[in-house]
Amino acid sequence: MTTPKHLRTLLLGAATCAAAGLAFYACSATTGGANLASGDAASKVYVPPGQYDQYYAFLSGGYNGQIGVYGLPSGRLLKFVSVFSQNPETGWGYNEETKPMLQTSFGSIPWDDTHHPELSQTDGVPDGRWLFINANNTPRVARVDLTTFETTEILQIPNSAGGHASPFTTPDTKYIVSATRFSVPMHNADVAISSYKQNFKGTVSFIRADQPGRMDIAFQILMPGYNYDLGHAGKGPSDGWFFFTTYNTEQAYEKLELNASQNDKDFMAAVNYRAAEQCIAQGKGKSVPADYFHNVVDEKSHQARSERKTSVTTLDPTACPGVVYFLPTPKSPHGVDVDPSGEYMVAGGKLATVIPVHSFTKMQKAIADKAFDGEEYGIPVLKYGATIAGEVQKPGLGPLHTEFDGKGNAYTSMFISSEIVKWKLGTWEVLDRMPVYYSVGHLMIPGGDSKKPWGQYVLSLNKITKDRYLPTGPELSQSAQLIDISGNKMKMLLDFPTIGEPHYAQALPAELIRNKQVKFYRLAENSHPSVVKAESEGGITRSGKRVDIKMAAIRSHFAPDNLEGVQLGDTVYFHVTNIEQDWDIVHGFAVQGAENAELIMAPGATRTLKWVPKATGVYPFYCTDFCSALHQEMQGYVRVSPAGSNVALMANVSRKAQAQMASAAANRKDDSHEQHKPAGKER
Ligand code: K7E
Ligand code: CUA
């Protein structure tokens, strides 16, 4: 049935593919061109006003260093979680409380690159406690608390460069991992780049992650100087093992584009981390100097603190035989994904023509039989034929990542042929293909890397959108596409743009975290040193050239809202506490000329803004978050006088607060600092 309209769509589709410069392969797989939505797609993604989505999806923001939270199936953007980048929507990394979270051994790093969100698991299934994510450039891992959607902990990884194979979790969340994408000389040694083979090493770090606030590197395994790209833990029978892909086994250090693509096969590294634990327990690890930071938000004061760490335990695999094996894997593999049963390890060989699948059972047998093909740097290389369970033939071009539906099927993203390919575990036959627009990187099924996937949808996380949306100048929107996988055939349901480049994503049913949300921080428990718990506690104090202003924010005023006695040359700290105890009643604070930031205060939280006035005058400050009908009245003034001026410190407060103070006056002890508390008479 070719109506003129269908024909037009078909032609348009072909033109589109040509324009995008993609292999014709992608187009030949399509039948309907650009519009592939199935007939009932709209009703399947429609979430009526006032109703909730079924899933929370956490999409890496890629080079924006954050996490986008979307509802599925609607694709509605709910929130950005601030992690490795300063975020002007939350004040993360700008206010004094959260600045320490971005501290590293290189100083404060206000912008990093995230790739892989990873949900914590219990017995191999996402449990909704935490979300972990990696920083690529200055290797770090972060913990996000899913009751607050806030980052509570960040750990830097030393002896690492490009923390890409990270932060994948073990089934019990005892460990998350981080492996070096770039091999580097250990301990920042100053060596010739041409000494790569002798001096450059990779590391694979196992990070203790099941104790909030106490993330730490349990041990770091020294690996040959290859590039370690991705990893996944074993589960079920393969529990206790971790699998990493490596490329550049050529150990090229220039023109990798060419020189790292010479070998027909690179490796998958199989790491027996329980055996590594034993070796460490037997004292075979070595404590070496290292320089890295651990940053934690204190639960009660909402203030972050940084701790500088000075050593790390490393393990040389040759000192601990049986800890690492190499499995030859074609060709420059990218993803490594373990199926829900834990038997199959699927590699995505970017440049390979098949999808190779290793068998854990066969791997165990090959190890027992010593079916080795030599060794590399003392690490046994298993024979390819001895570990391979099967190869998916003609899957498409450029397989990258695989997720599972829990019904015996695997879904692999094909970057070059721009499609998602469904195939069957065990028979390795291709069952279905869905073109995606365009050039998919990761794909994601809720729970799709766990023991029990919720195999209803797959989300395609695409690199290029070209003609999919209204154009927005030289840089076009990034994109996700939602596909129904509940039936035999995949059905395209929805395109939605994403902010940042979503490399990987994870999702879980909303009910796992929806009812655990913190609604406000308890003021009574707020232990911030500059908290005010009532309007009457506001005030201004001086200590040398430092002025501290404690202030309450409540609908719809600040207390105090008139401040005098600040002088040029002072550094002023506004400590503003939102004393509301109501869900979602947020206030902001901005003062003219503050270079550093504004503030946003969640109910019950204290935030601090540093302000160095540059000229005398009277400066307004105001609330930046529309909080009530009288939000526009939520403002005040701070007066700045010349250095050495005799204008006294003055902080007024409201009449209500004055009344409170009068009754409490008797009980109050005075501060040792020169202090002016209210009564603010005009001078
Ligand atoms: Cu394939 Cu960094 Cu996981 Cu991007 S990575 S796609
Ligand atoms: Cu508070 Cu607007």
Side-chain angles (χ1 to χ4, degrees), residues 586-588 623-627 631 634:
V586 174
H587 295 290
C623 173
T624 52
D625 188 313
F626 205 108
C627 49
H631 157 79
M634 194 163 174

Side-chain angles (χ1 to χ4, degrees), residues 115-116 136 164 230 334 400-401 441-442 463 501 503-504:
H115 282 223
H116 306 119
N136 229 347
H164 192 257
L230 282 157
H334 183 54
L400 291 187
H401 300 284
H442 275 272
K463 302 295 184 194
E501 181 188 357
H503 287 264
Y504 188 38

